[in-house]
Amino acid sequence: MALVLLCTSATNQKTTTIFIIGDSTAAKKDLSKGSPERGWGMALQCYFDETFIRVDNHAVNGRSSKSFIDEGRWQKVLDKLQPGDYVIIQFGHNDEKPQPARHTDPGSTFDYNYAKFIRETREHGGIPVVMNCVARRNWQASPDASKGKGEPMGTQIDDEALRNTTAMEAPLPLEGSGEVLLDTHGLYAVAPRDVAQRMHALFIDANKITHDLEQSLGPEGSKKLHMWYKPGEHPALPDGRQDNTHYNIYGAHQVAKLLADALCQEIPLLTKYRTNDKPCKMEK
């Protein structure tokens, strides 16, 4: 009878879903051509027991908080959201861009969209988890090379176009001889924290977590997190790649692992479902 009760209890255990909404740094990637590019959201499932925690990654390349809503992608998440599920919200890289279809302003439309995500998640019984944007690998010779005063250099960087930047070309504008990783997001990294505080929502400082990771590895070591390859180093990238934004397989795992730990710190209930850091493929 004890065995029957144990099996019944396990069967009745509800699977909780962690939804991810965001941009290319977290997104699913097309693996059909063998590219090593991965979003950290593809790796997150590796660090939670999928019997009890299911990661449903809706992040998409090139999306901002505005375009994610306007394209109906947010509604698709709401249609699937069940009470007790979590929604990780992470935008910023593309909200910085000047294109009207993507651009929002921190302290205004950017904050409004984050508040909308939080409010509507709660209305459906879900639990919002606010994250700010991950750091870019931005090593400059001096702070004077950035725009400064809260205005992000991100407006100068087309993250999606970096996929066409080969290693044969001149070093990227962000590549310098500095030893300090400089911010490119300005207030776009600050606004999510402000909204979370105002709305008493969980907040994870993904920008600081990834900044510290990049800084710990240094200018050369941090390349191994990103789509930074010499010509001929990877069969899918014969001309190499110089991309300071997007993660490769190793980088996506390192970031996902740190964010999984941060999730467990903010939500202790998840700790018992945190798996050992064992090898895990990100093919689904």
Side-chain angles (χ1 to χ4, degrees), residues 139-142 174-180 219:
W139 297 94
Q140 284 283 6
S142 71
L174 290 184
E175 191 67 6
S177 59
E179 295 296 326
V180 177

Side-chain angles (χ1 to χ4, degrees), residues 176-190:
S177 59
E179 295 296 326
V180 177
L181 192 76
L182 297 184
D183 173 58
T184 67
H185 296 298
L187 295 177
Y188 287 94
V190 177

Side-chain angles (χ1 to χ4, degrees), residues 8-283:
T8 301
S9 177
T11 302
N12 292 335
Q13 172 72 48
K14 177 182 180 294
T15 299
T16 298
T17 301
I18 299 177
F19 292 92
I20 302 172
I21 62 173
D23 54 41
S24 59
T25 58
K28 293 181 181 178
K29 309 295 178 178
D30 179 5
L31 307 182
S32 63
K33 297 181 180 179
S35 172
E37 183 180 331
R38 301 290 189 273
W40 67 258
M42 297 175 71
L44 189 64
Q45 184 68 77
C46 297
Y47 303 102
F48 288 101
D49 186 341
E50 61 183 352
T51 304
F52 305 106
I53 301 294
R54 186 174 71 91
V55 176
D56 192 354
N57 186 7
H58 287 254
V60 181
N61 290 359
R63 270 54 182 189
S64 69
S65 65
K66 180 181 188 300
S67 63
F68 195 86
I69 294 170
D70 292 346
E71 293 174 1
R73 298 179 185 278
W74 173 231
Q75 186 58 51
K76 290 181 180 179
V77 174
L78 289 178
D79 291 344
K80 298 176 69 175
L81 187 61
Q82 297 294 316
D85 288 342
Y86 298 91
V87 179
I88 295 175
I89 307 160
Q90 186 188 69
F91 291 96
H93 277 260
N94 298 304
D95 290 77
E96 301 168 356
K97 306 302 189 299
Q99 296 91 339
R102 300 196 288 183
H103 183 75
T104 64
D105 293 308
S108 177
T109 47
F110 187 52
D111 299 44
Y112 174 84
N113 290 339
Y114 258 89
K116 175 183 174 70
F117 294 136
I118 294 170
R119 182 179 67 254
E120 294 182 357
T121 295
R122 287 171 168 167
E123 288 172 354
H124 285 72
I127 303 163
V129 181
V130 176
M131 290 189 186
N132 51 8
C133 42
V134 295
R136 290 187 181 94
R137 179 185 169 276
N138 174 31
W139 297 94
Q140 284 283 6
S142 71
D144 293 337
S146 68
K147 296 171 72 175
K149 298 182 180 179
E151 187 177 359
M153 287 185 65
T155 55
Q156 302 174 333
I157 303 164
D158 186 343
D159 293 308
E160 303 309 309
L162 291 175
R163 296 191 179 92
N164 300 320
T165 305
T166 70
M168 302 298 291
E169 297 171 347
L172 297 174
L174 290 184
E175 191 67 6
S177 59
E179 295 296 326
V180 177
L181 192 76
L182 297 184
D183 173 58
T184 67
H185 296 298
L187 295 177
Y188 287 94
V190 177
R193 183 202 302 272
D194 293 343
V195 176
Q197 288 178 342
R198 288 198 300 271
M199 300 186 71
H200 304 288
L202 297 170
F203 174 73
I204 291 175
D205 196 342
N207 187 261
K208 183 180 187 305
I209 289 170
T210 52
H211 174 280
D212 292 350
L213 172 62
E214 304 265 2
Q215 181 73 59
S216 69
L217 294 172
E220 193 61 33
S222 59
K223 290 179 181 178
K224 67 181 182 179
L225 299 172
H226 294 278
M227 291 293 291
W228 192 282
Y229 293 92
K230 298 176 182 178
E233 188 176 355
H234 193 282
L237 304 167
D239 296 325
R241 180 73 56 81
Q242 289 187 0
D243 182 339
N244 287 323
T245 296
H246 302 107
Y247 299 117
N248 57 24
I249 296 172
Y250 174 78
H253 269 289
Q254 295 306 302
V255 172
K257 188 187 305 183
L258 292 172
L259 294 181
D261 289 339
L263 281 166
C264 291
Q265 184 173 350
E266 290 296 322
I267 310 167
L269 179 63
L270 294 178
T271 304
K272 62 181 179 179
Y273 306 120
R274 175 75 164 84
T275 60
N276 295 327
D277 298 341
K278 58 184 179 181
C280 171
K281 291 185 177 180
M282 297 180 281
E283 305 308 313

